[in-house]
Amino acid sequence: MDFRTLFEPKTMAIIGVSLHNDRHPANVIYNKNRFRYPVKVYAVNPKGGEYYKEKVYKNIKEIPEKIDLAIIAVRAEYVPGVLEECVESWVGGVVVISGGFSETGRHDLREELIRIASEADFPIIGPNCLGIYSPSHIDSFFLPSERMVRPERGNVAIVSQSGGILVDQMVKYADQGIGLSRAISIGNKAVITELDLLKYLVRDDQTDVIAFYIEGFGKGEGREFVNMASRSPKPVIVMKAGKSEAGSRAVSSHTASIAGDYTVFSSVMKQYGIVEASDEYEMLNFSEALSCYPKAIRGRVGIVTASGGHGVVAVDRCNKSELEVPPLPEDRQEIIREKLSNSIKTIASIGNPIDLTGSAHDDDFVVAARQLSLIDDIDCVLILLLPYLPEVTSDVGARLSQLYQETKKPIVAYVPHVEKYMMIIEGFQLNNVPVADSIEGAIMMVEAMKRCGQC
Amino acid sequence: MLTDEMKAILEKSRGTGWVLEPDAKKILSLAGLDVPEYIHATSVGEAEAFASKTGYPLVAKVVSPDILHKSDVGGVAVGISSDEQLREVFDGFSKMKGFAGAVIEEMLSGVELIVGAKNDSQFGPVIILGIGGIGVEIYKDTTIRMAPIKKEHVPSMVADIKARKLLEGFRGSEPVNMECLSSMVVGFSNLVMDLAPFVESIDLNPVMCSGSRCVIADARMILNNAQE
């Protein structure tokens, strides 16, 4: 299925626009797309008439243009009828925002929707979902523009069964400076499932990393998903919710007892190199790291810091994640000490971690990181930057980022995420180096590369 | 491919919902997996005849469609060393519910492993490998892979087991024959792919692994009741 027309439509119909309620989901969607996105938007309501002087069409068939994407926000029982009309009018595809299907016991309506889709080979996202956010193209979320936090355009696509989790995750991605290519809420996924979107996103030229929030797969779908994901040339990240095993279920064999649903899920993801995030924070850090470096590493980390404590905490966390912190060759240690500024030459502790001390200059960070990058036994450099030190300047992020261009060895940085350090953070991020807001987050970024089977 | 003999066993076990141990072992041996030398004895005489042929020590396990977990009801006797002991054990078994004879088999030594399978609703057949015995669910020292499994996947499975040192030869004990273990896991995984429409889960527990063999000492095959 080609979703391009759904994600980048030229024409869009919003079905169910109220003539007088601006807060109606259909109205919110109509207004935000009309004012903010490069798409021609048509309002549909069986009553017809006008909405703020714009014509409201009684029926999708009345619209004089072919519609690429229709957003349906009418009561569930009217949805099948509206869908039939969309099919007859050669609409490219639809998003059904409306709830009131199988989640409220109306399995018949769900079946009807599936029947229409399969007979006409017609793409339907939803029902009971927010639909598509495709930066600089469209936004079908019924959340007023002024209330939403929108990540910038980027290369990470998120597919989520839950709309709420998706919006929440978008707030966090925006805060962390991670850009999105697509965000898709699939709700009850009656027709279009994770599998269809994975198949499309693997080919989508706007997307380099594909992240999923999954509550559960349909029968046998998990097997198809991993088979497809393991052949993806792009990293695939999954976060699973609903992990607790149904303890009351009578189990007759040891194997069935041990291999509960989530245990199997997690094991199979690992087997196929699909990066499982255990929570939203991991999802965030994994996404950022893999969006910068779709690159597999063995996980041998060289650490630069200006505080002994940061170094110790980082090494502990590396051990926990089974990342190696290899010792530095003697000759390399000599070279590093030789190149450091005079003020720290004798007090810096040169090992792994390299502790440059609180008197470190930008140059010292660059020297240490470059030398670590040149060591074959190290495949990732972790920079624990203390932006409050007197000799560290706002240039340090941009300068350190250039090292990746020079050596092609991934660099991951930790900088506290507060407003006054933004120039350093952006110095890294705008030059494609990921920056975590904690030491732990930075190590998650390294882990993501280690665990990525598609990198 | 399932043979007709295998299909016949599955068919006849449908009423019970699971496959009796001797029948399960028959299926496994037909698939080329190593099972101990055993008989399904329905009388003391048959048991004694087997003993005089193979010699002691022996293991005896009750066969009953009413007893799925034999050791929970005292239905397993190991280290039987005389005719007298054998008679005594057999006599005890014969009083158990649903008694349909006993499996008498050679006594095996080695590390006790579990090799299992489950037909998962989302992922289809998966294989588990880990430390076996009655403490399986206490230690939970197992690893899971989606089947089918190839030979080159087995070392990573072994590496996932926390107590893998027990397999590598611990404090002077003989290391487990990895070639045999690997053939067992791969052969079992292939069989499971064929059995998938019929089974819910399978325990091969314990599989006794030594320096020379990996033998399935006990097997439990739970059928999928949705399959009519």
Side-chain angles (χ1 to χ4, degrees), chain B residues 117-171:
Chain B
K118 179 193 165 198
N119 198 356
D120 184 82
S121 71
Q122 300 181 78
F123 296 95
V126 297
I127 302 293
I128 80 163
L129 171 69
I131 299 302
I134 56 167
V136 163
E137 289 180 42
I138 299 170
Y139 297 119
K140 291 194 171 119
D141 189 2
T142 50
T143 187
I144 302 175
R145 296 288 186 282
M146 198 167 91
I149 288 168
K150 296 203 182 82
K151 202 174 166 188
E152 59 265 29
H153 301 146
V154 179
S156 86
M157 294 184 80
V158 173
D160 282 353
I161 301 171
K162 292 189 199 79
R164 62 183 169 276
K165 283 209 168 104
L166 293 173
L167 281 71
E168 290 161 354
F170 183 63
R171 304 188 68 164

Side-chain angles (χ1 to χ4, degrees), chain A residues 37 133-138 151-154 180-183:
Chain A
Y37 291 92
Y133 169 65
S134 188
S136 63
H137 294 287
I138 55 148
E152 285 184 48
R153 189 170 171 171
L180 289 183
S181 58
R182 324 279 185 198

